[in-house]
Amino acid sequence: MFKAALCLLLSVSAPGIEAQTVSIIPKPAQIIAKEGSFTLTPDMAIAYDAACTEQAEYLLQTVRRSTGFRWKEAGKKSRAGILLEIDTLRVPAPEGYTLEVSGKRIAICGHDKSGVFYGIQTLLQLLPPEIYSASLQSDAKWSVPCISVTDAPDHPWRGMMLDVARYFYDKDFVKKYIDMMAMYKMNKLQLHLIDDSGWRLEIKKYPRLTEIGAWAGKNEKRLGGFYTQEEIKEMIAYAAVRGVEIIPEIEFPAHMLSAVAAYPWLCCTGKQHEVPNQHFISRDLLCVGKESSYQFLADVLEETVALFPSKYINIGGDEAVYDRWQECPKCQAVLRREGLEKTSDLQGYLTNVVANMMKEKGKTIVGWEEIIQRGAVSQPVVAAIWHNVADTIQATRLGHKAILSPATHVYLDFPEGRTPGEVKAATWMPPISLEKCYSMPTGEYAATGTVLGVQGCFWSDQFIHGTMLQEIAPLNENRSENYAEYLTFPRLLAVAELGWTRTDRRSWPDFRDRISTHFARLDHKGCTYRVPEPRIVAEEEIDGKVRFTLAPSVQGATIRYTTDGTYPHAHSAVYATPVTVDNKSDFRAITEIIPRHASLPLYFAPDYSAYARYGAFLAEWKSQQLASGTLRIENTGAMVGNGTFDITFVRTRGSGRLNLGKLVQFKRDEQLAEVPMQTVLDANTPAVTYRLTQTAFEAGVPFYFEVEAAPEGDIAGYVFVKKVEE
Ligand code: ACM
Ligand code: ZN
C-alpha cells in the first residue's frame, strides 16, 4: 500500500524531476523519471541482437575511450548489465526505441537499427558530458538516473544540407558532421556536391569533372578538392552505422559552371569558362537542346546512384535564369517540339526526363522548390521549400512531398545576431538567432501529410573561397572548418528538435534550459560552437537607473560584466546578484566557459526610432574617423534587390560641419552608380539624402559605397537607407 502511494507520488512529480536531471535533445515523446540510479562499472557485460552489432560496437567504443571500461559479451541476455534488442512489435514506430534504466540494468529496444542507435544517444545524454571525450576521464562518476523513455520521431526526415561544393570539406570533416548530426538523431545528409565553384564527386566516365572542375585558381595556389568513389563509400558506411542516409545532390540545370568549365559543350554557347574562385551564380545552364546533355546526365546519375544506396537522388534545380535557353536555337526547338509555353517550362521538361530515368532505378527525385514550380512534373517528387513554408500547399496540391528548409529560420550560414564582433556570414537576410531558428513554424503545414520533415542548410558560398572569409584574420590553419562549426552549433540542436519532437512537446523556455547543459557535451566532442551571451531575465527602470537580472545560458559557466562600457575580460567582476547602471549601454556582460572561451558581450543597440522616416540604420560616423576625406560604408545585404534607394546622412551631435561630395557604389571592386552632391551637413541642415538606383543586385556579393566626406570641427551622426516605393 505504502509502495503504491510512493510510486504515484513519483510519477506525479515526474515533470519536475525531468526538468532537473534530464535534458535530452531532441525532447523525447515520453519520459518517466524514476527513483535511484544505475552506475556503469568496468566489469559489466553487454548482450545484443546480431542485427545491431554495429550499433553495439559503436557504444562499446564510445564508452571505452572515456571510461576505460572494456565490457565483455554476456553469455545470456539475463546476465547483461546492458541489453540492446530489436523488436518491431514492442516498438512499432520506425526509428523508435524504448530505454529502461533500473537499479539493475539498462535495456534499449529499437524498432530497427536506427532505433537502437537513438536509444544509445539518449543513454549517452543521461551520462555526464565526459562520456563523449576521446580520452580517459578518471574523475567522472558514470551514473545514469533510473528512467523509462518511450520515443520515436515525429518526422521521418531530419536533415542537414552541407555545401561541400563552394568549399571543399574533406572526408574527415564530413564524418565529424555526420557524427554530430547523429548525436541529435538527425538522419539525412544532403551533400551539395556540385556548384558553379566546384565539382566534388569522382565520375569515372568524365575525369575532367574533377581534374578541372574541382579546382579554382592555378597551380599550387589552386583551391578545392573532390571525393574519390572509395572515400564516398567510406562516408556512406560511417553514416549508415549512425542512422544517417547520405543523399547526393547533382545540381542542374544551373549552378554547374564547374562541369561546364570541364566540358564546355554542356552549355548552350559551348564557350570555355573557368571555375570561379569567388561567389558567383553562372547564367550558363546545361543546354536542353543537345543530345549530349541527356547522355551526360544519364551517365553521371548512373554512376552516382550506383554509389549511394539512398532511395533518393537530389537534382538541385534552384535559381536558374533562362537567358541562355531563351537565346539558344536548340533549346527553343525543344520548346516548340514539346508544345511548351515558356522557356522556364523547359526546366520542368528536363526534370521529367530525369525523373523517368531515375524511376527505372527505383529512386525518388528530391530538389529545391523550383523543381515543382517550372512546369508540371509527372512523378511524385520531394521539394525542399526554401522561401516560404506556406508554399508546401503547392506540393500538396500537385501530389508531391515537401521538406521544410526556410532560409528565414534554418539557413545556418546566417549569423545569430548583429552584435559587434560577430563573425562575418551571410547577409542577404536578417540574422537567425537560436530562438528564431527554434521557433520555425512547422505545425500547420506538417498536418497536411505532405511534409516529410525539416532540413537545415549550411551554405559555404558567402564566406569560403569568397571575400568574406578572406577578410577574417587567419586564426589557425583550420579556420574554415571551425567557422562552419561555429555557425552550425548550437543551432543544429534546434533544427534536430524541430524535426523529431511533436509541436505540442516543444517550448522555447524548456529548450533554452535543456540546451544550457549541452555545451559541455559539445566541448567533450571537440565541436566548436557559438557561445551564447548571458540571458537577461529582467531589465527594470528604477529611479532613472537600469537594473539587470541575468541568468547563465550555459550551465556551469561564469558571467562577467562591466558597468563602464568596456569589454569584459577574465578579471572583470563576476555576476552574482542584479546589477544597476546609470546608462543601459554602459552595461556589458559575457558568458565565460573558460577564460579563453567566452561569448561576445551583451550589446544594446542605440535607439534609432527618432530617425525611422529615413529607413534602416546603416552606419555610424564621427569627424575623428574622416581624416582621409572619404567614408567607406559596407552595405552588403542592406539594400536587397534592384530599385531606387534613399541614403540619408544625419547629424546627431557636434558643432562642426561635414562637407559632402559624390557617392560611388561598388560591387566587389567594380564601380557601379555614382551620385553627385555638393553640400554641407550641420546644425542648420541636419539631414542630406542621396538617391541611388541599384541595377546589379546579387545576393551574397559584397557591396559598398565611398562618399566624399570632409569634416570641419567636431560632428557625428548616422547613415540610414530606405527603399523608395515605385
Ligand atoms: C538556395 O538557397 N538557393 C536553395
Ligand atoms: Zn541550349
Side-chain angles (χ1 to χ4, degrees):
M1 182 63 200
F2 176 68
K3 252 188 167 168
L6 185 68
C7 274
L8 193 68
L9 239 172
L10 269 172
S11 56
V12 168
S13 65
I17 294 169
E18 184 181 324
Q20 278 166 33
T21 59
V22 176
S23 293
I24 299 163
I25 294 177
K27 193 180 178 81
Q30 190 191 67
I31 298 176
I32 300 171
K34 299 188 172 166
E35 208 178 8
S37 64
F38 179 93
T39 301
L40 307 186
T41 55
D43 54 2
M44 266 168 58
I46 185 169
Y48 50 87
D49 287 343
C52 56
T53 302
E54 287 177 320
Q55 287 67 33
E57 280 168 1
Y58 168 95
L59 174 63
L60 289 170
Q61 209 180 64
T62 305
V63 168
R64 191 183 310 142
R65 283 189 316 209
S66 51
T67 67
F69 301 165
R70 292 172 177 277
W71 295 338
K72 301 243 166 13
E73 277 188 46
K76 279 189 182 161
K77 282 188 175 177
S78 60
R79 296 227 178 98
I82 178 155
L83 175 64
L84 310 179
E85 292 178 294
I86 293 183
D87 189 330
T88 52
L89 294 176
R90 264 158 60 201
V91 183
E95 302 182 280
Y97 68 92
T98 58
L99 166 67
E100 299 289 341
V101 182
S102 69
K104 294 209 176 76
R105 74 159 165 189
I106 297 169
I108 291 171
C109 183
H111 174 89
D112 43 27
K113 290 197 268 192
S114 292
V116 172
F117 184 81
Y118 295 147
I120 292 170
Q121 293 309 318
T122 296
L123 171 64
L124 295 175
Q125 289 195 19
L126 292 166
L127 280 156
E130 290 83 354
I131 195 72
Y132 297 101
S133 180
S135 61
L136 203 60
Q137 303 289 306
S138 35
D139 292 339
K141 183 171 182 288
W142 305 115
S143 70
V144 190
C146 291
I147 199 166
S148 172
V149 181
T150 305
D151 199 8
D154 191 35
H155 286 104
W157 193 300
R158 305 172 306 279
M160 275 303 300
M161 186 282 310
L162 180 63
D163 175 3
V164 298
R166 269 64 167 273
Y167 179 78
F168 179 65
Y169 301 92
D170 69 15
K171 166 192 83 174
D172 292 331
F173 181 82
V174 177
K175 283 162 84 173
K176 184 178 181 189
Y177 214 79
I178 290 167
D179 198 42
M180 296 308 302
M181 286 172 61
M183 179 174 169
Y184 292 103
K185 304 187 176 89
M186 297 182 85
N187 66 350
K188 302 271 190 274
L189 174 63
Q190 174 184 338
L191 269 189
H192 183 72
L193 288 161
I194 282 108
D195 214 298
D196 292 316
S197 337
W199 183 287
R200 308 293 173 211
L201 176 64
E202 179 189 30
I203 298 291
K204 303 223 191 239
K205 219 169 190 167
Y206 295 90
R208 286 172 63 84
L209 288 173
T210 44
E211 285 166 13
I212 306 289
W215 306 98
K218 294 259 175 332
N219 306 325
E220 69 278 4
K221 282 215 169 136
R222 68 184 195 168
L223 293 167
F226 66 93
Y227 309 113
T228 64
Q229 294 198 355
E230 285 311 305
E231 287 175 318
I232 292 282
K233 285 180 195 161
E234 185 184 327
M235 292 193 276
I236 290 169
Y238 184 88
V241 174
R242 290 159 177 75
V244 175
E245 178 178 335
I246 305 185
I247 300 166
E249 180 186 353
I250 304 292
E251 167 108 83
F252 62 86
H255 286 286
M256 54 176 291
L257 190 68
S258 53
V260 170
Y263 298 102
W265 45 261
L266 288 171
C267 72
C268 294
T269 63
K271 217 176 103 185
Q272 179 68 59
H273 290 269
E274 289 198 350
V275 177
N277 60 8
Q278 294 236 318
H279 177 52
F280 176 65
I281 300 180
S282 172
R283 292 179 170 235
D284 281 283
L285 310 186
L286 178 74
C287 180
V288 284
K290 299 184 203 172
E291 204 39 54
S292 53
S293 296
Y294 298 90
Q295 191 59 48
F296 174 82
L297 282 182
D299 292 340
V300 167
L301 290 170
E302 182 170 332
E303 275 192 49
T304 305
V305 301
L307 196 55
F308 290 87
S310 170
K311 77 174 238 216
Y312 297 105
I313 173 82
N314 190 309
I315 60 166
D318 60 324
E319 295 185 310
V321 285
Y322 304 101
D323 329 2
R324 299 286 189 268
W325 285 358
Q326 188 79 41
E327 294 151 10
C328 173
K330 291 192 170 82
C331 286
Q332 290 301 313
V334 176
L335 184 116
R336 286 191 299 276
R337 187 189 75 206
E338 298 300 321
L340 302 172
E341 266 175 44
K342 304 183 291 299
T343 298
S344 60
D345 293 342
L346 284 167
Q347 181 165 349
Y349 167 75
L350 181 61
T351 303
N352 268 320
V353 172
V354 174
N356 287 329
M357 257 183 223
M358 290 297 99
K359 192 178 178 201
E360 280 171 28
K361 308 239 174 235
K363 305 281 176 179
T364 300
I365 298 280
V366 188
W368 302 108
E369 63 193 27
E370 286 93 330
I371 67 166
I372 59 167
Q373 296 168 340
R374 301 287 184 273
V377 175
S378 56
Q379 317 264 347
V381 298
V382 180
I385 308 296
W386 64 281
H387 277 106
N388 182 353
V389 289
D391 288 342
T392 52
I393 289 162
Q394 282 174 317
T396 307
R397 189 166 45 80
L398 300 167
H400 300 300
K401 297 284 185 200
I403 45 183
L404 304 182
S405 280
T408 45
H409 291 77
V410 296
Y411 270 30
L412 304 189
D413 54 317
F414 285 90
E416 282 201 32
R418 295 191 201 277
T419 305
E422 184 57 272
V423 294
K424 294 206 176 197
T427 49
W428 56 274
M429 275 199 312
I432 302 174
S433 67
L434 178 64
E435 180 175 359
K436 181 168 185 194
C437 179
Y438 188 77
S439 310
M440 182 188 112
T442 54
E444 55 184 304
Y445 308 109
T448 61
T450 298
V451 174
L452 295 178
V454 176
Q455 180 161 292
C457 291
F458 187 75
W459 295 101
S460 308
D461 57 290
Q462 302 294 328
F463 47 89
I464 294 173
H465 289 183
T467 44
M468 294 280 193
L469 193 68
Q470 286 159 15
E471 285 170 23
I472 296 170
L475 298 173
N476 58 50
E477 294 284 313
N478 232 4
R479 68 192 199 273
S480 307
E481 283 71 8
N482 281 340
Y483 199 60
E485 288 179 19
Y486 177 97
L487 285 169
T488 302
F489 298 95
R491 288 179 294 187
L492 176 136
L493 282 66
V495 179
E497 186 152 311
L498 285 167
W500 182 279
T501 306
R502 241 177 38 204
T503 314
D504 62 355
R505 296 268 300 159
R506 292 200 309 263
S507 106
W508 164 247
D510 171 53
F511 180 75
R512 186 188 62 204
D513 290 346
R514 276 180 289 126
I515 204 171
S516 74
T517 68
H518 279 251
F519 296 94
R521 295 179 186 275
L522 299 180
D523 280 328
H524 281 284
K525 270 283 210 183
C527 180
T528 302
Y529 54 86
R530 181 185 187 278
V531 180
E533 295 92 336
R535 179 159 67 87
I536 301 171
V537 175
E539 183 190 320
E540 299 150 290
E541 278 209 32
I542 302 170
D543 301 334
K545 297 180 187 245
V546 186
R547 186 171 76 168
F548 284 101
T549 306
L550 304 182
S553 303
V554 175
Q555 195 185 58
T558 304
I559 297 175
R560 293 189 186 273
Y561 69 94
T562 63
T563 54
D564 60 1
T566 58
Y567 205 109
H569 53 73
H571 303 293
S572 299
V574 172
Y575 176 89
T577 54
V579 175
T580 303
V581 285
D582 291 341
N583 291 313
K584 184 173 164 176
S585 57
D586 287 340
F587 182 64
R588 319 220 68 190
I590 57 169
T591 301
E592 181 190 80
I593 293 186
I594 52 170
R596 292 178 63 88
H597 192 201
S599 72
L600 293 167
L602 282 175
Y603 168 70
F604 303 100
D607 180 3
Y608 304 118
S609 53
Y611 308 102
R613 64 188 177 285
Y614 299 125
F617 173 78
L618 191 58
E620 188 172 1
W621 53 269
K622 290 190 186 94
S623 45
Q624 295 88 325
Q625 299 164 337
L626 298 173
S628 71
T630 306
L631 175 63
R632 177 177 160 136
I633 302 172
E634 303 290 337
N635 78 314
T636 311
M639 288 169 44
V640 175
N642 288 328
T644 304
F645 293 84
D646 278 348
I647 296 153
T648 303
F649 278 66
V650 178
R651 167 196 170 276
T652 55
R653 61 183 166 79
S655 55
R657 33 196 275 146
L658 185 67
N659 299 299
L660 286 168
K662 72 169 187 270
L663 176 151
V664 185
Q665 190 192 25
F666 293 87
K667 173 180 176 178
R668 281 200 203 92
D669 293 320
E670 174 196 351
Q671 183 174 327
L672 302 175
E674 196 174 301
V675 185
M677 181 70 70
Q678 206 60 278
T679 193
V680 174
L681 188 72
D682 61 11
N684 296 324
T685 312
V688 170
T689 298
Y690 292 80
R691 180 158 285 191
L692 176 96
T693 302
Q694 174 161 278
T695 53
F697 176 74
E698 208 176 309
V701 173
F703 282 84
Y704 65 95
F705 312 117
E706 282 183 359
V707 183
E708 290 172 358
E712 290 173 43
D714 183 38
I715 181 166
Y718 300 138
V719 184
F720 296 91
V721 64
K722 184 175 171 182
K723 190 158 192 174
V724 179
E725 297 304 329
E726 269 126 297

